[in-house]
Each structure stands twice: as C-alpha cells, then as structure tokens.
C-alpha cells in the first residue's frame, strides 16, 4: 500500500512529461507532419530545384556536367523541333481543354436531372477517366491503325471516305487524333466536377426566378453560371496543367511523330534526356512547363478572389 | 412539338451519343480480345462483331508474356505506395486540420500547391536521385516517388473531411480523460473512415495507372508494371499483337474498375467534395 502510494506521483510525473509533449501543439503538430514533409521534400521539392539547376548545366547521363548559364535555353529557342513543340502544346492544350469543357458541361447538364438508369449512367460515364490512360491509349492506337482501323470501317460504311485513312501518318490528322483521345479521357472529369457545382445551386433560386418571369436562358445566365464559376475555374485550371504536362498518351500513340509533329514538352524532354542522354537540355525543355503552371495558378487565384 | 419528341431530341439522343462515344473504346477492347486472328486482320468482315469468340489471345497473354509478373509488380507497388502515403497523409492532415499549430495554415496551402507540380518537371532530376539511392530498376523507386502526387491529394481530401467532423466530440472525449492519441484512434479516425476509404481508392488507382515514372525508373522486362509492360514489350516493331494487347488492356483495367465500382458513390462524393473545398 505504501509502495503504491509512493510510486503514484512518479508515474504521474512521467505521464506529465510525455503529456506535455503531446499537449504542446507546435511540437506535436510538426512531428505529425514530418513524414509527409520528408517525402515531399526529398522527392518533390529537392528534385524540383535540382531540375531547375540541371537546366543551367550541360549534364549528361553519368556525367554531372557544369554550369553553362542560359546555353540550353539559347539552343532551344533556335531549335525548330522545340519551337514546333511549343506550338503543339498551345494547340493541344487550347483545343482539348475548350472541347472538354464544352462537352463536359453539356454532359453535366444532361445528367443533372432525375431519369431511369441515372445511377448506371453516372457510373459508366466516369470509366474513361478511371482506367489507366496508358491502356486506353493502346486502344486508340489500335483504333487509329492505318490498315485495320474500325473508325475507317465505320466512315466507309456511312460513305464519308472511300479509302483507308493514315490517321497517325499526317501531321494535322495525328494532332487531331491525339486531341480526340485526350478529350475522350477528360470529358468525365469536367462532367463530374461541373455536375457537383450544379448540385450546389439551391433549387429555390430557380423557382423564385421563374416566378419573376425569368426564362431558361436568363436563369442559366444569372443564377447557374455565377454560382458555377468557382468550380469551373478549379476544374479548368487543373485540367490545363495536366494537359500541358501530358506525356503518356502522346508517347504511346505517336512518340512525338510523324516528323516531330506531335511533340509536347514532356515527350521532347523524355526524348532528349532519357533516350538522348542530354539531361541538361531535357531539363530545360521540362522547365518550360513552369510558366504555364504559374500563369494558371495566378489566373485561378485572381478569378476566385474576384468572386469573393 | 409534343413532349416525348422533345425529350428524345434534347435528352435521350444526346445522352446516347455521349455513352457511345465514352464506352465504345471499351467495347472495341473486348471484341478485339475475343476475336480470332483470321477475323481481326480481315477487311471484308464486319469488325464490330465475331461469331467465333476465342480465348487464344488471353491464353497467349497469360502464358507467353510477362503479364502476370507485371500484374504482381503493379499490385505490390500500388499497395506499398498507398500505405505509405495514407499513413503520412493521415497524420499530416490531422495535425494541420485539428491542432492549429504555428505555421499550419501556410503548410496546408504549400502542400496543396505541390499537387499542381506535374511529373514531367520532376522525372529527369528524380532519375538522378533514384540512381544515387541505388533504387534503379527496383519497385522501391516507385513506392518512394508516388507519394509526391498521392500525399498532396490525400491531405487535401482528408483536410476537407476532418473539417466536416464536429470538434465537440473530440472535446468531450478529452474532458472524459482520453489522451490525444486515444482521441485520434477511437474518435476522429473512425469518424473519418469514409474519407480514409476515398483516399485509399484514389491512391490505389492513381498508383496503378502511373506511367511516366514507371517507364523511366524500371528497365528490365520482369520488373515492369502493367501500363508500361504492355506498351513497351507487346508493341514490337511491325508485328503487332493486337489480340493479346487488348486482352491485357482489359485485364489491366479490371482491378481499378473493381475498386471503383465497389465505392462508386464514395468516389463521386469524395471527388465532388474535394472540388468544392
């Protein structure tokens, strides 16, 4: 009994010591975020800075290289293939994001109502976005086959073409084919995001507006759209960044061909750095994604700020 | 115009067109995988159907290629990366969302911004780091690098989820004498289970689908993942093996499709919740 009573304060003191660490919000907080910070620091922040550094060096595989200033960038600006890749990226991202937005919005408006089979439709329409892009890219590679394309078969059956089409052999046709495949994959993302936005609009607003004599267009313009802007901005910015940074679809279907006509920053960087061994030059190509990233985030920030 | 006709034109037909557009590639995958070669490379028969389905392509894929090892590799890597990311994210999200320690606000925004850094900026310097760590051509290279896109996403999603849980429940448990860890273990995390589950599905599918890092960091045939293995080992010069390729695309999509179908309601709710934040 005595011993027990004597030991109690000591246990309490030890508990208090451990407890005070647990109760110190700052110490506990930083301890708990430490694992996440370590992973992001070592494999995201550090490589990010290393990448920027590499773009200023003539580094090769198995050769650290030395600082060469803006040499890589000067070379790239004069490089026809790189200049084409810049144009391709603008075209690819510009056209694909607009198409994904328009089609995704249309799909969201279509399924934002009660109908039989709604659950099935909403589940099925997300599939292109769920499955591995590299695997669906293989299907598009097969759909665009120069000899046995099912697309050509259908176009022939309805009388639109009378010979086989070499989708990936012609520069503009190849660009259009890749944009179509990218749109296919991205429409569900826009649809589900915008659908979520549509569902946050209070139904009473529509009823009140209808009573005041507002037609469908007026209701859309003055109720739906203003409330949808924040979600639309987030979805569009996210998709723009991902489309500009696309790699796998292009690499699997065309490898940047024909004659470098479909290279984006990602595929060109891979070709120069991994296949060619010019790490510095490849890193410089990849760094060009940064301005796009910063511009997107800044635009989104301004748009969302204005809304508030 | 009467109502059914209007409904047909403004709703049923457009929706049907969307479904055909979005689902046709999957149908084409399936038909190609089951069609015998003599139909596959024959321009005179209707390509959209076959009367003589065969499992030859599936058999070739399973026994004559490395598809099964690729599936195993992808599974191991996805499970490893998901477990690591979820553990780190759960602790970080709880700390940022609940402890409100000095610097937590800035930290939350910083982690969110890291989500916007696309892998194409990182893969070249990362290849340096991976080889310096001696992880070249090893699954660990991917288990350690996938958290760079999984952790920001999971933290963001969990933060939103923790915010919806009433603080009072935790305060009550504290008043009743529970320690901070007991509160987390027995009150907060069980309540956040739907959010944790969503993270699990997202992290697993994102890892399963990853292509660029797997392409760059793994090189030997039997170490590859499904997305990379199919696209690099079965697309061999002029001899295309479309049957086995499509069978592989189909089977390789099954795990994510299953994970998704079980939790489809969750998935949509989590995604829309994350977007609303």
């Amino acid at each position: 009994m005595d011993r027990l009573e004597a030991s109690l304060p000591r246990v309490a003191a030890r508990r208090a010591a451990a407890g005070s660490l647990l109760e110190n919000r700052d110490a506990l907080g930083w301890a708990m975020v430490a694992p996440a910070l370590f992973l992001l620091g070592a494999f995201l922040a550090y490589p990010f800075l290393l990448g920027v550094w590499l773009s200023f060096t003539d580094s090769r595989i198995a050769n650290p290289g030395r600082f060469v200033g803006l040499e890589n960038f000067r070379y790239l600006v004069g490089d026809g293939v790189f200049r084409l890749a810049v144009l391709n990226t603008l075209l690819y991202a510009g056209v694909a994001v607009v198409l994904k937005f328009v089609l995704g919005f249309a799909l969201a408006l279509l399924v934002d109502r009660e109908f039989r089979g709604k659950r099935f439709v909403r589940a099925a329409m997300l599939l292109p976005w769920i499955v591995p892009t590299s695997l669906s890219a293989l299907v598009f590679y097969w759909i665009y086959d120069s000899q046995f394309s099912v697309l050509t078969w259908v176009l022939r059956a309805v009388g639109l073409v009378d010979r086989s089409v070499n989708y990936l052999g012609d520069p503009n046709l190849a660009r259009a084919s890749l944009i179509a495949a990218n749109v296919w994959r991205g429409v569900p993302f826009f649809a589900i995001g915008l659908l979520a936005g549509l569902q946050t609009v209070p139904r009473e607003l529509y009823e009140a507006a209808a009573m005041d004599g507002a037609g469908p267009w007026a209701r859309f313009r003055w109720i739906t759209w203003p409330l949808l802007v924040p979600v639309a901005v987030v979805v569009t910015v996210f998709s723009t960044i991902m489309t500009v940074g696309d790699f796998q679809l292009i690499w699997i279907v065309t490898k940047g061909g024909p004659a470098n006509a479909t290279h984006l920053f990602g595929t060109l960087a891979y070709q120069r750095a991994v296949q060619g061994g010019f790490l510095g030059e490849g890193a410089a190509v990849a760094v060009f994604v940064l301005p796009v990233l910063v511009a997107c985030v800044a635009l989104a920030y301004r748009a969302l700020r204005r809304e508030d | 115009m009467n109502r059914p006709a209007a409904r047909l034109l403004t709703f049923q037909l457009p929706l049907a067109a969307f479904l055909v557009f979005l689902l046709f590639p999957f149908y084409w995958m399936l038909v190609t995988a089951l069609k015998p070669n003599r139909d596959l490379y024959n321009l005179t028969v209707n390509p959209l159907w076959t009367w003589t389905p065969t499992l030859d392509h599936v058999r070739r894929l399973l026994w004559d290629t490395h598809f099964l090892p690729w599936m195993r590799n992808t599974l191991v890597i996805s499970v490893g990366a998901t477990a690591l990311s979820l553990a780190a994210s759960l602790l970080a999200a709880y700390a940022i969302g609940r402890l409100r320690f000095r610097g937590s606000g800035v930290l939350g925004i910083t982690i969110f911004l890291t989500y916007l850094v696309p892998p194409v900026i990182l893969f070249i310097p990362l290849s340096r780091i991976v080889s310096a760590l001696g992880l070249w051509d090893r699954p660990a290279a991917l288990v350690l690098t996938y958290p760079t896109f999984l952790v920001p996403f999971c933290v963001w999603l969990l933060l939103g989820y923790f915010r919806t849980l009433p603080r009072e429940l935790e305060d009550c448990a504290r008043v009743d004498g529970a320690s901070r860890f007991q509160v987390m273990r027995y009150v907060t995390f069980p309540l956040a289970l739907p959010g944790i589950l969503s993270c699990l599905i997202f992290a697993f599918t994102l890892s399963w689908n990853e292509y660029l890092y797997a392409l760059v960091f793994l090189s030997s045939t039997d170490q590859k993942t499904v997305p990379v293995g199919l696209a690099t080992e079965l697309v061999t010069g002029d001899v295309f093996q479309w049957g086995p390729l499509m069978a592989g695309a189909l089977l390789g999509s099954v795990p994510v499709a299953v994970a998704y179908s079980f939790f489809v309601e969750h998935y949509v709710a989590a995604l829309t919740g994350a977007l609303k934040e």
Side-chain angles (χ1 to χ4, degrees), chain A residues 44 80 120 243:
Chain A
L44 193 135
F120 167 77
T243 312

Side-chain angles (χ1 to χ4, degrees), chain A residues 22-23 25-26 28 30 43 47 59-60 63 103 110 123 126 130 132 134 142 153 184 192 196 245 248 293, chain B residues 11 18 21-22 28 32 47 91 99 102 115-116 120 125 128 148 174 180-181 209 211 227 242 260 271-272 275:
Chain A
L22 283 179
E23 293 314 318
R25 277 162 187 255
D26 289 347
L28 181 64
W30 283 99
F43 299 108
S59 164
R60 310 248 192 121
N63 170 13
L103 290 173
L110 276 175
L126 266 178
I130 306 297
S134 60
W142 172 219
W153 186 86
W184 175 82
I192 207 73
Q248 46 182 337
L293 187 81
Chain B
F11 175 62
F18 264 116
F21 170 62
L22 294 175
W28 188 231
T32 306
L91 292 175
L99 295 181
R102 238 176 297 158
Y115 186 52
L116 297 176
V120 291
R128 269 262 155 106
T148 54
R174 296 283 288 164
R180 227 183 246 291
F181 277 114
N209 298 356
Y211 179 77
W242 289 115
Y260 158 72
L271 186 67
T272 54
L275 282 171

Side-chain angles (χ1 to χ4, degrees), chain A residues 8-34:
Chain A
L8 267 178
R10 233 181 304 156
V11 172
R14 214 165 43 218
R15 278 229 177 125
S20 74
L21 181 70
L22 283 179
E23 293 314 318
N24 180 340
R25 277 162 187 255
D26 289 347
L28 181 64
W30 283 99
M32 283 177 80
V33 292

Side-chain angles (χ1 to χ4, degrees), chain B residues 22-210:
Chain B
L22 294 175
L23 298 181
F24 176 76
F26 297 107
Y27 176 75
W28 188 231
M29 233 189 247
L30 181 70
V31 172
T32 306
L34 297 177
K35 218 190 277 185
N37 270 335
R38 63 170 188 281
D39 286 356
L40 209 48
Y41 306 111
N42 180 349
L43 289 169
T44 58
V45 298
N46 177 350
L48 296 175
W49 189 251
T50 178
W51 292 107
T52 50
T54 169
L55 286 177
D56 281 353
H57 299 313
V58 179
R59 231 169 275 142
R60 275 219 43 210
L61 175 79
L62 294 184
W63 311 129
D64 300 347
T65 74
H66 287 78
F67 186 73
L68 289 176
W70 295 336
M71 283 289 259
R72 194 200 52 218
N73 295 341
T74 319
L75 187 70
V76 169
I77 291 164
S78 302
V79 169
T82 301
L84 183 62
S85 307
L86 195 68
S89 308
L90 205 53
L91 292 175
Y94 182 87
I96 293 171
R98 275 296 197 251
L99 295 181
R100 303 237 172 108
F101 58 94
R102 238 176 297 158
S104 59
V106 179
L107 211 55
I109 294 169
T110 310
I111 290 184
F112 167 68
L113 283 180
T114 59
Y115 186 52
L116 297 176
V117 180
V120 291
I121 296 186
L122 300 175
F123 77 94
I124 294 168
L126 265 180
S127 70
R128 269 262 155 106
I129 297 169
V130 162
S131 71
L133 292 173
L135 296 175
W136 201 260
D137 206 19
R138 305 251 297 267
L142 301 183
V143 173
L144 286 173
T145 49
Y146 285 180
T148 54
F149 53 85
L150 300 180
V151 166
F153 185 82
C154 291
V155 169
W156 188 28
L157 210 150
L158 286 171
L159 265 179
Y161 212 89
F162 283 143
R163 211 167 295 150
T164 64
L165 301 178
R167 251 171 190 287
E168 292 74 32
L169 282 172
E170 289 167 59
D171 294 339
C172 284
R174 296 283 288 164
V175 170
D176 287 346
S179 73
R180 227 183 246 291
F181 277 114
Q182 282 171 325
V183 173
M184 276 182 232
R185 166 84 180 72
Y186 295 106
V187 181
T188 319
F189 291 169
L191 282 173
L193 201 60
I196 295 171
L197 223 55
S198 311
C199 278
L200 265 180
I201 310 164
F202 275 109
F204 182 80
T205 54
L206 286 172
S207 315
W208 188 277
N209 298 356
E210 207 282 332

Side-chain angles (χ1 to χ4, degrees), chain A residues 227-261:
Chain A
L227 287 169
L228 209 56
V229 165
V231 173
V233 167
V234 170
V235 173
T236 307
V237 162
F238 189 72
S239 172
T240 305
I241 293 171
M242 290 303 150
T243 312
V244 168
D246 199 358
F247 173 82
Q248 46 182 337
L249 177 67
I250 314 286
W251 192 249
I252 287 171
V253 178
T254 65
K255 294 233 177 343
N260 298 314

Side-chain angles (χ1 to χ4, degrees), chain A residues 260-308:
Chain A
N260 298 314
T262 58
H263 265 307
L264 300 185
F265 292 131
T267 54
L268 192 62
Y270 179 85
Q271 200 178 51
R272 298 272 160 98
V274 178
Q275 293 192 320
F278 296 98
L279 284 190
E281 197 186 316
V285 174
V287 159
F288 274 89
V289 178
L290 264 181
V292 182
L293 187 81
V294 174
C296 280
V297 173
L299 275 176
Y301 188 71
R302 280 192 55 181
L304 294 176
R305 269 290 281 271
R306 215 179 40 219
E307 284 307 310
D308 297 336

